[in-house]
Amino acid sequence: MVNRKVLTLDEFTIQQLRMFPQATGELSSLLRDIGLASKRINVEVNKAGLVDILGDHGSVNIQGEEVKKLDIFANNQMMGVLRHGISCAGIGSEELDDIVIFDDEVSNQSKYVVLFDPLDGSGNIDVNVSIGTIFSVYRRVSELGKPCTREDFLQPGIQQVAAGYVIYGSSTMLVYATRRGVNGFTLDPSIGEFCLSHPDIRCPEFGKIYSVNHGNFFQYSEGVKKYINVCQQKTTETGGPYTQRYIGSMVSDVHRNLIKGGIFMYPGTTGKPKGKLRLLYECNPFAFILEVAGGKATDGTRRILDIKPEELHERTPFFVGSKGMMEELEGFLAK
Ligand code: AHG
Ligand code: MN
Ligand code: MN
Ligand code: MN
């Protein structure tokens, strides 16, 4: 049996590049840089508990969250590869108060800026539940040759040229989307390469999984509560029965729902009307990925990708997943 040649991430991005001779290869190079940072983060995640990488860093970030040591480690790995690459003019990160403009001769010529959540699901680090990294890539709107500007980072999500995530779980996977499709790569530790394992991922139009934090139930709007009740009462005749799955790492919850079909909700609450999730480096990347895969993503009323961001760390209510399930939800939110 001839073993099918499995493309590595590098081979795949170069293959994509060859299909578009006018491309400069900067985006391919950027994705390979992110893959490198992910492999370094993966090493620390996999041995967390054996080395002094668990627990609190002892600081509180701009989000008001206890920063974990692994948050800082992941942040520094992502920022390091992007600063020393040839494709990124600057970055924005969940763990940094403001954007970082690299402002050196090579970076100022670079076409892209990157926003990232270096470690998503930090609360799960110390209890060995899967966590991830999320990234979002924009072409600069500012003048090449000069330092990038804040406007480069505050573009609507529809302007993303690529978005993706890494999930440090039972295996380590990197999934990224461009307008041409969503592809998943699984890290093969024996060769230290991400290998194409999930080509052209499509999100099923319907699923049987709904993901929400029931602990906030009585703080949700009437429409959200009604939809959750509908989810709980689904039968085989009405597309169910549904199962509730909520890990507390958005990367894991949304990845599962992308593959199997399902809906993930982080609604606003009476206490936090904007919810918890950040628009620029959590909601926009997943909204882009799900839309390319055939799903939908809204804030309850607006398409996420149409929102014009005002602030780097702004939050938004977030509903994302299978198209058919999102449309059923919208019927309850419109009332
Ligand atoms: P982060 O660890 O990057 O701060 O993000 C955590 C987010 C997201 O991953 C997850 O879905 C959500 O927080 C869980 O929040 P609750 O514990 O409030 O449900
Ligand atoms: Mn956090
Ligand atoms: Mn996060
Ligand atoms: Mn985070």
Side-chain angles (χ1 to χ4, degrees):
M1 142 100 151
V2 176
N3 64 335
R4 178 170 53 90
K5 170 155 178 47
V6 176
L7 287 178
T8 66
L9 175 63
D10 291 12
E11 288 170 327
F12 181 83
T13 54
I14 290 165
Q15 186 187 67
Q16 295 291 308
L17 181 57
R18 289 170 62 91
M19 287 158 65
F20 298 88
Q22 74 282 11
T24 62
E26 277 192 68
L27 183 59
S28 305
S29 160
L30 192 63
L31 292 165
R32 291 199 295 274
D33 290 344
I34 292 169
L36 173 59
S38 311
K39 286 189 260 189
R40 291 177 173 153
I41 296 166
N42 181 58
V43 168
E44 291 307 302
V45 168
N46 284 348
K47 62 185 182 186
L50 296 175
V51 295
D52 182 24
I53 194 75
L54 286 180
D56 293 342
H57 174 257
S59 59
V60 174
N61 64 13
I62 192 167
Q63 324 284 343
E65 303 165 337
E66 277 296 329
V67 177
K68 301 289 186 183
K69 289 177 190 159
L70 219 43
D71 280 323
I72 297 300
F73 177 83
N75 181 74
N76 294 344
Q77 291 306 314
M78 287 290 286
M79 189 160 62
V81 295
L82 293 169
R83 182 192 291 274
H84 298 111
I86 57 164
S87 313
C88 181
I91 59 111
S93 165
E94 178 201 349
E95 302 305 337
L96 299 174
D97 292 5
D98 205 351
I99 58 174
V100 176
I101 299 172
F102 290 155
D103 192 9
D104 63 64
E105 198 179 336
V106 171
S107 301
N108 288 350
Q109 287 295 346
S110 301
K111 276 196 303 198
Y112 301 111
V113 292
V114 180
L115 289 141
F116 55 81
D117 174 356
L119 210 72
D120 176 66
S122 308
N124 283 325
I125 294 171
D126 299 355
V127 292
N128 208 19
V129 171
S130 57
I131 49 185
T133 297
I134 311 167
F135 59 90
S136 167
V137 184
Y138 288 91
R139 186 173 285 100
R140 291 171 58 177
V141 293
S142 57
E143 188 183 339
L144 294 189
K146 293 186 176 164
C148 61
T149 65
R150 181 172 303 281
E151 282 323 295
D152 292 325
F153 296 89
L154 296 178
Q155 300 180 56
I158 189 63
Q159 297 298 332
Q160 291 173 98
V161 292
Y165 58 89
V166 183
I167 184 167
Y168 310 102
S170 45
S171 66
T172 297
M173 265 191 82
L174 185 148
V175 177
Y176 82 89
T178 63
R179 293 193 184 297
R180 293 198 291 272
V182 184
N183 290 282
F185 301 80
T186 299
L187 183 64
D188 177 345
S190 68
I191 57 171
E193 293 288 355
F194 282 107
C195 297
L196 183 63
S197 53
H198 296 67
D200 194 23
I201 297 174
R202 303 294 296 163
C203 182
E205 188 176 358
F206 288 93
K208 299 184 190 307
I209 299 170
Y210 74 102
S211 306
V212 69
N213 184 339
H214 272 277
N216 299 328
F217 182 83
F218 291 104
Q219 292 193 58
Y220 293 147
S221 70
E222 286 314 307
V224 169
K225 286 192 273 193
K226 284 197 181 98
Y227 177 69
I228 290 174
N229 287 332
V230 163
C231 289
Q232 293 170 325
Q233 299 170 60
K234 288 282 184 180
T235 63
T236 43
E237 288 70 41
T238 55
Y242 282 10
T243 186
Q244 201 269 354
R245 288 284 183 273
Y246 191 78
I247 297 178
S249 294
M250 177 167 119
V251 171
S252 308
D253 281 317
V254 180
H255 175 73
R256 178 202 53 241
N257 294 0
L258 166 66
I259 302 294
K260 292 190 163 185
I263 189 166
F264 173 92
M265 299 175 274
Y266 204 107
T269 61
T270 43
K272 295 181 182 170
K274 285 280 192 185
K276 170 183 184 181
L277 299 178
R278 285 54 60 115
L279 174 62
L280 269 63
Y281 40 81
E282 290 177 314
C283 302
N284 268 336
F286 274 112
F288 183 81
I289 294 162
L290 265 290
E291 284 205 10
V292 173
K296 288 189 81 172
T298 74
D299 67 353
T301 49
R302 295 174 299 173
R303 180 185 180 221
I304 287 287
L305 295 182
D306 288 341
I307 299 174
K308 168 71 175 82
E310 300 304 326
E311 296 293 331
L312 189 60
H313 297 292
E314 72 181 66
R315 300 172 194 259
T316 176
F318 191 48
F319 303 85
V320 64
S322 294
K323 186 167 177 290
M325 299 174 85
M326 284 291 293
E327 287 169 351
E328 183 177 24
L329 163 70
E330 283 154 15
F332 288 90
L333 301 188
K335 287 168 186 157

